[in-house]
């Protein structure tokens, strides 16, 4: 079903354990969302045998998340890009900056009035793009865009795989309402029938 809106943009800082597994801090609002574009790059391999394709493998390699936002704010800019805030509360960006990966969550409104919810488990952001324009005869809004590389998690889920995205549609059959209501209170951890999760 088509989506007609976007809101509730959150991020959660990641702490890596000694074995490389991730734990997430409590999610906090990032900014007001204007747009989100997610593109995915796959690693592909084809095995040829008996003069034809015998096996084809397509696996997630990485992705790109481009967010149009109203204003990133000092704290979020520091958390996402590695910039620092000086003693006068001025954001200082240096050539040595490089933020740590974070989890990013948001939701998109569907045409039926319900929402599709997302968590991207590891996103490493670059420096936000700044677009400025002089005031003319008409009002033009200039807003920042921030782009990040989407990576898979280090931690295995209950099926022994490395997830990179969690996505759920509100109102789908079998979706527990508690999953929807708690979506932004913590980063979603996969749970499977055998009782194991990524925790």
């Amino acid at each position: 079903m088509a989506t007609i809106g976007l809101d509730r943009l959150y991020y959660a800082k990641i702490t890596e354990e000694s074995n490389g597994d991730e734990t997430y801090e409590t999610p906090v609002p990032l900014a007001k969302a204007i747009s989100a574009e997610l593109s995915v790059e796959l690693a592909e391999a084809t095995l040829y045998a008996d003069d034809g394709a015998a096996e084809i493998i397509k696996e997630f390699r990485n992705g790109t998340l481009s967010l149009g936002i109203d204003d990133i704010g000092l704290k979020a800019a520091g958390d996402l890009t590695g910039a620092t805030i000086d003693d006068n509360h001025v954001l200082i960006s240096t050539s040595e900056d490089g933020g740590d990966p974070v989890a990013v969550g948001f939701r998109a409104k569907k045409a039926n009035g319900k929402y599709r919810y997302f968590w991207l488990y590891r996103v490493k952001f670059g420096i936000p793009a700044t677009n400025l324009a002089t005031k003319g005869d008409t009002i033009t809004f200039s807003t920042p865009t921030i782009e990040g590389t989407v990576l898979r998690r280090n931690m295995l889920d209950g099926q022994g795989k490395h997830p990179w995205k969690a996505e759920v549609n509100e109102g789908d059959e079998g979706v527990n309402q508690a999953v929807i209501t708690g979506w932004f209170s913590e980063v979603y951890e996969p749970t499977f029938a055998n009782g194991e999760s990524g925790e």
Side-chain angles (χ1 to χ4, degrees), residues 21-22 153 155-158 163 189-192 196-199:
D21 288 353
E22 299 95 342
R153 285 182 81 168
M155 186 162 59
L156 296 173
D157 65 14
E189 289 289 354
T191 304
F192 295 98
E196 295 181 18
S197 71
E199 296 179 356

Side-chain angles (χ1 to χ4, degrees), residues 40 79 130 157 171 184:
V40 175
D79 289 344
T130 303
D157 65 14
F184 298 110

Side-chain angles (χ1 to χ4, degrees), residues 44-112:
E44 294 186 41
T46 304
L47 173 67
Y48 291 93
D50 287 340
D51 293 334
E55 299 222 18
I56 299 173
I57 296 176
K58 294 185 180 198
E59 292 182 349
F60 173 80
R61 179 190 280 166
N62 60 44
T64 301
L65 176 65
S66 183
L67 294 174
I69 53 179
D70 69 332
D71 185 17
I72 193 169
L74 292 179
K75 177 157 181 14
D79 289 344
L80 272 56
T81 69
T84 56
I85 300 171
D86 77 358
D87 295 341
N88 293 314
H89 213 63
V90 174
L91 185 70
I92 306 298
S93 298
T94 68
S95 62
E96 293 82 9
D97 289 347
D100 294 324
V102 296
V104 175
F106 52 91
R107 70 180 186 174
K109 190 171 188 177
K110 301 189 303 181
N112 66 1

Side-chain angles (χ1 to χ4, degrees), residues 9 76 129 151 157 172:
L9 184 57
L151 306 164
D157 65 14
D172 276 2

